[in-house]
Coordinates of all heavy atoms in Angstrom, one line a residue:
M191 N 2.0 15.6 -22.7 CA 1.2 14.4 -22.3 C -0.2 15.0 -22.0 O -0.4 16.0 -21.4 CB 1.8 13.8 -21.1 CG 0.9 12.7 -20.5 SD 1.5 12.0 -19.0 CE 2.7 10.8 -19.7
S192 N -1.2 14.3 -22.5 CA -2.5 14.7 -22.2 C -3.0 14.4 -20.8 O -2.4 13.5 -20.2 CB -3.5 14.0 -23.2 OG -3.7 12.6 -22.9
E193 N -4.0 15.1 -20.4 CA -4.5 14.9 -19.1 C -5.1 13.4 -18.9 O -4.9 12.8 -17.8 CB -5.7 15.9 -18.8 CG -6.1 16.0 -17.3 CD -5.1 16.6 -16.5 OE1 -4.3 17.5 -16.9 OE2 -5.1 16.3 -15.2
D194 N -5.7 12.9 -19.9 CA -6.1 11.4 -19.9 C -5.0 10.5 -19.7 O -5.0 9.5 -18.9 CB -6.9 11.1 -21.1 CG -8.3 11.7 -21.1 OD1 -8.8 12.1 -20.0 OD2 -8.9 11.8 -22.2
A195 N -3.9 10.7 -20.5 CA -2.7 9.8 -20.4 C -2.1 9.9 -19.0 O -1.6 8.9 -18.4 CB -1.7 10.1 -21.5
F196 N -2.1 11.1 -18.5 CA -1.5 11.4 -17.2 C -2.3 10.6 -16.1 O -1.7 9.9 -15.3 CB -1.5 12.8 -16.9 CG -1.1 13.3 -15.5 CD1 0.2 12.9 -15.0 CD2 -1.9 14.0 -14.7 CE1 0.6 13.3 -13.7 CE2 -1.5 14.4 -13.4 CZ -0.3 14.0 -12.9
N197 N -3.6 10.7 -16.1 CA -4.5 10.0 -15.2 C -4.3 8.5 -15.4 O -4.3 7.8 -14.4 CB -5.9 10.5 -15.4 CG -6.2 11.8 -14.9 OD1 -5.5 12.3 -13.9 ND2 -7.1 12.6 -15.4
M198 N -4.3 8.0 -16.5 CA -4.1 6.6 -16.7 C -2.8 6.0 -16.2 O -2.8 5.0 -15.5 CB -4.2 6.3 -18.2 CG -5.7 6.4 -18.8 SD -6.8 5.3 -17.9 CE -6.3 3.7 -18.3
S199 N -1.7 6.9 -16.3 CA -0.4 6.5 -15.8 C -0.4 6.4 -14.3 O 0.1 5.5 -13.7 CB 0.6 7.5 -16.3 OG 1.9 7.2 -15.8
I200 N -1.1 7.4 -13.7 CA -1.3 7.4 -12.2 C -2.0 6.2 -11.7 O -1.7 5.5 -10.8 CB -1.9 8.7 -11.7 CG1 -1.0 9.9 -11.9 CG2 -2.3 8.6 -10.2 CD1 -1.7 11.2 -11.6
R201 N -3.2 5.9 -12.4 CA -4.0 4.8 -12.1 C -3.3 3.5 -12.1 O -3.4 2.5 -11.3 CB -5.3 4.7 -12.9 CG -6.2 5.9 -12.5 CD -7.4 5.9 -13.5 NE -8.3 7.0 -13.1 CZ -9.4 6.8 -12.4 NH1 -9.8 5.7 -12.0 NH2 -10.2 7.9 -12.2
K202 N -2.5 3.3 -13.2 CA -1.7 2.1 -13.4 C -0.7 1.9 -12.2 O -0.6 0.8 -11.7 CB -0.9 2.1 -14.7 CG -0.1 0.9 -15.1 CD 0.6 1.0 -16.4 CE 1.4 -0.2 -16.7 NZ 2.2 0.0 -17.9
F203 N 0.0 3.0 -11.9 CA 0.9 2.9 -10.8 C 0.2 2.5 -9.5 O 0.7 1.7 -8.7 CB 1.7 4.3 -10.6 CG 2.5 4.3 -9.4 CD1 3.7 3.6 -9.3 CD2 2.1 5.1 -8.3 CE1 4.5 3.6 -8.1 CE2 2.8 5.1 -7.1 CZ 4.0 4.4 -7.0
L204 N -0.9 3.2 -9.2 CA -1.6 3.0 -8.0 C -2.1 1.5 -7.9 O -2.2 0.9 -6.8 CB -2.7 3.9 -7.8 CG -2.2 5.4 -7.5 CD1 -3.4 6.4 -7.4 CD2 -1.4 5.5 -6.2
K205 N -2.6 1.0 -9.0 CA -3.1 -0.4 -9.1 C -1.9 -1.3 -8.7 O -2.1 -2.2 -7.9 CB -3.6 -0.7 -10.5 CG -4.2 -2.1 -10.5 CD -4.9 -2.3 -11.9 CE -5.4 -3.7 -11.9 NZ -6.0 -4.0 -13.2
E206 N -0.7 -1.1 -9.2 CA 0.4 -1.9 -8.9 C 0.7 -1.8 -7.4 O 1.0 -2.9 -6.8 CB 1.6 -1.4 -9.8 CG 3.0 -2.1 -9.4 CD 3.2 -3.3 -10.2 OE1 2.6 -3.5 -11.2 OE2 4.1 -4.1 -9.8
V207 N 0.7 -0.6 -6.9 CA 1.0 -0.5 -5.5 C -0.1 -1.2 -4.7 O 0.3 -2.0 -3.7 CB 0.9 1.0 -5.1 CG1 0.9 1.2 -3.6 CG2 2.2 1.7 -5.7
G208 N -1.3 -1.1 -5.0 CA -2.4 -1.7 -4.2 C -2.3 -3.2 -4.3 O -2.4 -4.0 -3.3
V209 N -2.1 -3.8 -5.5 CA -2.0 -5.3 -5.7 C -0.8 -5.9 -4.9 O -1.0 -6.9 -4.2 CB -2.1 -5.6 -7.2 CG1 -1.8 -7.1 -7.4 CG2 -3.4 -5.3 -7.8
T210 N 0.3 -5.3 -5.2 CA 1.6 -5.8 -4.5 C 1.5 -5.6 -3.0 O 2.0 -6.5 -2.3 CB 2.8 -5.2 -5.2 OG1 2.8 -3.9 -5.0 CG2 2.9 -5.6 -6.6
S211 N 1.0 -4.5 -2.6 CA 0.9 -4.3 -1.1 C 0.0 -5.3 -0.4 O 0.3 -5.8 0.6 CB 0.5 -2.9 -0.8 OG 1.4 -1.9 -1.3
Q212 N -1.1 -5.6 -1.1 CA -2.0 -6.5 -0.5 C -1.4 -7.9 -0.4 O -1.5 -8.6 0.6 CB -3.4 -6.6 -1.3 CG -4.3 -7.6 -0.7 CD -5.7 -7.7 -1.5 OE1 -5.9 -6.8 -2.3 NE2 -6.5 -8.7 -1.1
R213 N -0.7 -8.3 -1.4 CA 0.0 -9.6 -1.4 C 1.0 -9.7 -0.3 O 1.1 -10.7 0.5 CB 0.7 -9.8 -2.8 CG -0.2 -10.2 -3.9 CD 0.6 -10.5 -5.1 NE -0.4 -10.7 -6.3 CZ -0.1 -10.3 -7.4 NH1 1.1 -9.7 -7.7 NH2 -0.9 -10.5 -8.4
K214 N 1.8 -8.6 -0.1 CA 2.8 -8.6 1.0 C 2.2 -8.7 2.3 O 2.7 -9.4 3.3 CB 3.7 -7.3 0.8 CG 4.6 -7.4 -0.3 CD 5.6 -8.5 -0.2 CE 6.6 -8.6 -1.4 NZ 7.5 -9.7 -1.2
I215 N 1.1 -7.9 2.6 CA 0.4 -8.0 3.9 C -0.2 -9.4 4.1 O 0.0 -9.9 5.2 CB -0.7 -6.9 3.9 CG1 -0.1 -5.5 3.9 CG2 -1.6 -7.1 5.2 CD1 -1.1 -4.4 3.7
E216 N -0.7 -10.0 3.1 CA -1.3 -11.3 3.2 C -0.2 -12.3 3.5 O -0.4 -13.2 4.4 CB -2.1 -11.7 2.0 CG -3.4 -11.0 1.8 CD -4.0 -11.2 0.4 OE1 -3.3 -11.8 -0.5 OE2 -5.2 -10.9 0.3
E217 N 0.9 -12.2 2.9 CA 2.1 -13.1 3.2 C 2.5 -13.0 4.6 O 2.8 -14.0 5.2 CB 3.2 -12.8 2.2 CG 3.1 -13.3 0.8 CD 4.2 -12.8 -0.1 OE1 5.3 -12.4 0.4 OE2 4.0 -12.8 -1.3
T218 N 2.7 -11.8 5.1 CA 3.1 -11.5 6.4 C 2.2 -12.1 7.4 O 2.7 -12.8 8.4 CB 3.2 -9.9 6.6 OG1 4.1 -9.4 5.8 CG2 3.7 -9.7 8.0
V219 N 0.9 -12.0 7.2 CA -0.1 -12.5 8.1 C 0.0 -14.1 8.0 O 0.0 -14.7 9.1 CB -1.5 -12.0 7.9 CG1 -2.5 -12.7 8.7 CG2 -1.5 -10.5 8.1
R220 N -0.1 -14.6 6.8 CA -0.1 -16.1 6.6 C 1.1 -16.7 7.2 O 1.0 -17.8 7.7 CB -0.3 -16.3 5.1 CG -0.8 -17.7 4.8 CD -1.1 -17.9 3.3 NE -0.3 -17.1 2.4 CZ -0.8 -16.1 1.7 NH1 -2.0 -15.6 1.9 NH2 0.0 -15.4 0.8
E221 N 2.3 -16.1 7.1 CA 3.5 -16.7 7.6 C 3.7 -16.5 9.1 O 4.7 -16.9 9.6 CB 4.7 -16.1 6.8 CG 4.7 -16.5 5.3 CD 5.7 -15.8 4.5 OE1 6.6 -15.0 5.1 OE2 5.8 -16.0 3.3
G222 N 2.7 -15.9 9.7 CA 2.8 -15.8 11.2 C 3.9 -14.8 11.7 O 4.4 -15.0 12.8
Q223 N 4.3 -13.8 10.9 CA 5.2 -12.9 11.3 C 4.7 -11.7 12.2 O 5.4 -10.8 12.5 CB 5.8 -12.2 10.0 CG 6.6 -13.2 9.1 CD 7.1 -12.5 7.9 OE1 7.5 -11.4 7.9 NE2 7.3 -13.4 6.8
I224 N 3.5 -11.9 12.7 CA 2.9 -11.0 13.6 C 2.9 -11.6 15.0 O 2.3 -12.7 15.2 CB 1.5 -10.6 13.1 CG1 1.6 -10.0 11.8 CG2 0.8 -9.7 14.2 CD1 0.2 -9.8 11.1
G225 N 3.6 -11.0 15.9 CA 3.7 -11.5 17.2 C 2.4 -11.4 18.1 O 1.6 -10.5 17.9
G226 N 2.3 -12.4 19.0 CA 1.2 -12.3 20.0 C -0.2 -12.6 19.5 O -0.4 -13.2 18.4
E227 N -1.1 -12.1 20.2 CA -2.6 -12.3 19.8 C -3.1 -11.0 19.3 O -4.2 -10.5 19.8 CB -3.3 -12.8 21.1 CG -3.0 -14.2 21.6 CD -3.3 -15.3 20.6 OE1 -4.4 -15.2 20.0 OE2 -2.4 -16.1 20.3
K228 N -2.5 -10.4 18.4 CA -2.9 -9.1 17.9 C -4.2 -9.3 17.1 O -4.5 -10.2 16.5 CB -1.9 -8.5 16.9 CG -0.6 -8.0 17.6 CD 0.2 -7.3 16.7 CE 1.0 -6.1 17.4 NZ 1.6 -5.3 16.4
K229 N -5.0 -8.2 17.3 CA -6.3 -8.2 16.5 C -6.3 -7.3 15.4 O -7.0 -7.3 14.4 CB -7.4 -7.7 17.5 CG -7.6 -8.6 18.7 CD -8.3 -9.9 18.3 CE -8.6 -10.7 19.6 NZ -8.8 -12.1 19.4
K230 N -5.3 -6.4 15.4 CA -5.1 -5.4 14.2 C -3.6 -5.2 13.9 O -2.7 -5.4 14.7 CB -5.7 -4.1 14.7 CG -7.2 -4.1 14.9 CD -7.7 -2.7 15.3 CE -9.2 -2.7 15.5 NZ -9.7 -1.4 15.9
L231 N -3.4 -4.9 12.7 CA -2.1 -4.7 12.2 C -2.0 -3.2 11.8 O -2.7 -2.6 11.0 CB -1.8 -5.5 10.9 CG -0.5 -5.4 10.2 CD1 0.6 -5.9 11.2 CD2 -0.5 -6.2 8.9
N232 N -1.1 -2.5 12.5 CA -0.9 -1.1 12.2 C 0.1 -1.0 11.0 O 1.1 -1.6 11.0 CB -0.2 -0.4 13.4 CG -1.2 -0.3 14.6 OD1 -2.4 -0.1 14.4 ND2 -0.6 -0.5 15.8
V233 N -0.4 -0.3 10.0 CA 0.4 -0.1 8.8 C 0.6 1.4 8.4 O -0.1 2.2 8.9 CB -0.3 -0.8 7.6 CG1 -0.3 -2.3 7.8 CG2 -1.8 -0.3 7.4
R234 N 1.7 1.6 7.6 CA 1.9 2.9 7.1 C 2.5 2.8 5.7 O 3.3 2.0 5.4 CB 3.0 3.5 8.0 CG 3.6 4.9 7.4 CD 4.6 5.5 8.3 NE 3.8 6.0 9.5 CZ 4.3 6.3 10.6 NH1 5.6 6.2 10.8 NH2 3.6 6.8 11.6
M235 N 2.0 3.7 4.8 CA 2.4 3.7 3.5 C 2.9 5.1 3.3 O 2.4 6.1 3.6 CB 1.2 3.5 2.5 CG 1.7 3.5 1.1 SD 2.7 2.2 0.5 CE 1.6 0.8 0.6
T236 N 4.2 5.2 2.7 CA 4.8 6.5 2.5 C 5.0 6.6 0.9 O 5.7 5.8 0.3 CB 6.2 6.6 3.2 OG1 5.9 6.4 4.6 CG2 6.8 8.0 3.0
L237 N 4.6 7.7 0.4 CA 4.8 8.0 -1.0 C 5.7 9.1 -1.2 O 5.6 10.2 -0.6 CB 3.4 8.4 -1.7 CG 3.4 8.8 -3.1 CD1 3.8 7.7 -4.0 CD2 2.0 9.3 -3.5
T238 N 6.7 8.9 -2.0 CA 7.7 9.9 -2.3 C 7.9 9.8 -3.7 O 7.6 8.9 -4.5 CB 9.1 9.7 -1.6 OG1 9.7 8.4 -2.0 CG2 9.0 9.7 -0.1
A239 N 8.5 10.9 -4.3 CA 8.8 11.1 -5.7 C 10.2 11.7 -5.9 O 10.4 12.8 -5.4 CB 7.7 11.9 -6.5
E240 N 11.1 10.9 -6.5 CA 12.4 11.4 -6.7 C 12.5 12.7 -7.3 O 11.8 13.0 -8.3 CB 13.2 10.3 -7.5 CG 14.7 10.5 -7.5 CD 15.4 9.4 -8.3 OE1 15.0 8.2 -8.1 OE2 16.2 9.7 -9.1
G241 N 13.4 13.6 -6.7 CA 13.5 14.9 -7.2 C 12.4 15.9 -6.9 O 12.4 17.0 -7.5
T242 N 11.5 15.5 -6.0 CA 10.5 16.4 -5.6 C 10.4 16.5 -4.1 O 11.1 15.8 -3.3 CB 9.1 16.0 -6.1 OG1 8.6 14.9 -5.3 CG2 9.1 15.6 -7.6
G243 N 9.6 17.4 -3.5 CA 9.3 17.5 -2.1 C 8.2 16.6 -1.7 O 7.8 16.7 -0.5
L244 N 7.7 15.7 -2.6 CA 6.5 14.9 -2.2 C 6.9 13.8 -1.1 O 7.9 13.2 -1.2 CB 6.0 14.1 -3.4 CG 4.9 13.1 -3.2 CD1 3.6 13.9 -2.7 CD2 4.5 12.4 -4.5
N245 N 6.1 13.9 0.0 CA 6.3 13.0 1.1 C 4.9 12.9 1.7 O 4.6 13.6 2.6 CB 7.3 13.5 2.0 CG 7.6 12.4 3.2 OD1 7.3 11.3 3.0 ND2 8.2 12.9 4.2
H246 N 4.2 11.9 1.3 CA 2.8 11.7 1.8 C 2.7 10.4 2.6 O 3.1 9.3 2.0 CB 1.8 11.7 0.5 CG 0.4 11.5 0.9 ND1 -0.3 12.4 1.6 CD2 -0.4 10.4 0.8 CE1 -1.6 11.9 1.8 NE2 -1.6 10.7 1.3
V247 N 2.3 10.5 3.8 CA 2.2 9.3 4.7 C 0.7 9.0 4.9 O 0.0 9.9 5.3 CB 3.0 9.6 5.9 CG1 2.9 8.4 6.9 CG2 4.5 9.9 5.7
V248 N 0.4 7.8 4.9 CA -1.0 7.3 5.2 C -0.8 6.2 6.2 O -0.1 5.2 6.0 CB -1.7 6.7 4.0 CG1 -3.1 6.3 4.4 CG2 -1.9 7.8 2.9
D249 N -1.4 6.4 7.5 CA -1.4 5.4 8.5 C -2.7 4.8 8.6 O -3.8 5.4 8.3 CB -1.1 6.1 9.9 CG 0.4 6.6 10.0 OD1 1.2 5.8 9.7 OD2 0.5 7.8 10.4
G250 N -2.8 3.5 8.9 CA -4.1 2.8 9.1 C -4.0 1.6 9.9 O -2.9 1.2 10.4
E251 N -5.0 0.9 10.1 CA -5.1 -0.4 10.8 C -5.9 -1.3 9.9 O -6.8 -1.1 9.2 CB -5.9 -0.2 12.1 CG -5.3 0.6 13.2 CD -6.1 0.6 14.5 OE1 -7.3 0.4 14.4 OE2 -5.5 0.9 15.5
I252 N -5.4 -2.6 10.0 CA -6.0 -3.7 9.3 C -6.5 -4.7 10.3 O -5.6 -5.2 11.1 CB -5.1 -4.3 8.3 CG1 -4.7 -3.3 7.2 CG2 -5.7 -5.6 7.6 CD1 -3.6 -3.8 6.3
E253 N -7.7 -5.0 10.3 CA -8.2 -6.1 11.2 C -7.8 -7.4 10.8 O -7.9 -7.8 9.7 CB -9.7 -6.0 11.4 CG -10.3 -4.8 12.0 CD -11.7 -4.8 12.3 OE1 -12.3 -5.9 12.6 OE2 -12.3 -3.7 12.3
L254 N -7.3 -8.2 11.7 CA -6.8 -9.5 11.4 C -7.8 -10.6 11.6 O -8.7 -10.4 12.4 CB -5.5 -9.8 12.3 CG -4.4 -8.9 12.2 CD1 -3.2 -9.2 13.2 CD2 -3.8 -9.0 10.7
P255 N -7.6 -11.7 10.9 CA -8.6 -12.8 11.0 C -8.6 -13.5 12.2 O -7.6 -13.5 12.9 CB -8.2 -13.7 9.8 CG -6.8 -13.4 9.4 CD -6.6 -12.0 9.9

């Protein structure tokens, strides 16, 4: 596999993750599944790859409307 094809494959996967994750977060907020008068939503994304030792965690906060 060429380096360009590899990079495109990664970008395609990350775009899918980004788009679907945003939709899920928006649904959660819109449906009122967040308790109380929270101003921020604490989030965590974990990336793993089957058959490897990859385990990358990203923590963050999303300000709520």
